């Protein structure tokens, strides 16, 4: 009788092993869910960045104001008839 009980216990443990530690077990599923959540957070940040870049591209394609603004800010360009004045902080 004890042999039957012990063999059933061993079989129960053998059946439980794939459920907890196997390829599709609970621990793997939990880890994969955590990775999916992290990736979704990264994707939402990238989606915001893409939306901003899409707006910039649309502005650059449609009008000249965005091009002019970029030229002034990034390259320090000025229009004809304008003067460029740079004020430096006083040295201590």
């Amino acid at each position: 009788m004890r042999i039957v009980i012990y063999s059933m216990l061993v079989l129960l443990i053998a059946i439980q092993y794939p459920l907890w530690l196997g390829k599709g077990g609970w621990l793997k599923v939990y880890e994969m869910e955590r990775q999916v959540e992290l990736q979704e957070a990264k994707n939402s940040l990238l989606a915001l960045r893409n939306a901003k870049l899409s707006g910039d591209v649309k502005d650059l394609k449609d009008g000249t104001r965005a091009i002019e603004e970029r030229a002034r800010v990034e390259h320090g360009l000025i229009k004809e008839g304008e003067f460029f004045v740079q004020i430096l902080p006083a040295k201590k």
Side-chain angles (χ1 to χ4, degrees):
M1 186 69 172
R2 285 185 177 205
I3 295 174
V4 172
I5 292 175
Y6 289 134
S7 63
M8 291 290 232
L9 186 60
V10 168
L11 286 174
L12 181 64
I13 292 171
I15 290 172
Q16 291 292 315
Y17 174 79
L19 177 65
W20 293 100
L21 303 173
K23 191 173 186 179
W26 291 107
L27 296 177
K28 291 279 186 180
V29 169
Y30 173 74
E31 179 63 27
M32 294 298 275
E33 285 177 351
R34 195 172 66 79
Q35 288 178 2
V36 166
E37 289 173 1
L38 290 173
Q39 190 61 46
E40 285 175 346
K42 288 180 187 177
N43 288 350
S44 65
L45 291 175
L46 290 174
L48 290 174
R49 188 191 77 176
N50 287 346
K52 182 180 178 228
L53 289 174
S54 172
D56 287 347
V57 167
K58 183 177 181 252
D59 286 344
L60 289 171
K61 282 184 178 179
D62 292 345
T64 59
R65 289 183 61 204
I67 296 170
E68 181 180 337
E69 179 184 348
R70 281 192 176 237
R72 288 174 179 269
V73 171
E74 293 176 4
H75 302 292
L77 300 177
I78 59 173
K79 284 184 181 178
E80 192 174 316
E82 289 183 340
F83 296 100
F84 178 71
V85 178
Q86 184 176 11
I87 302 172
L88 299 173
K91 293 184 180 179
K92 291 184 179 179

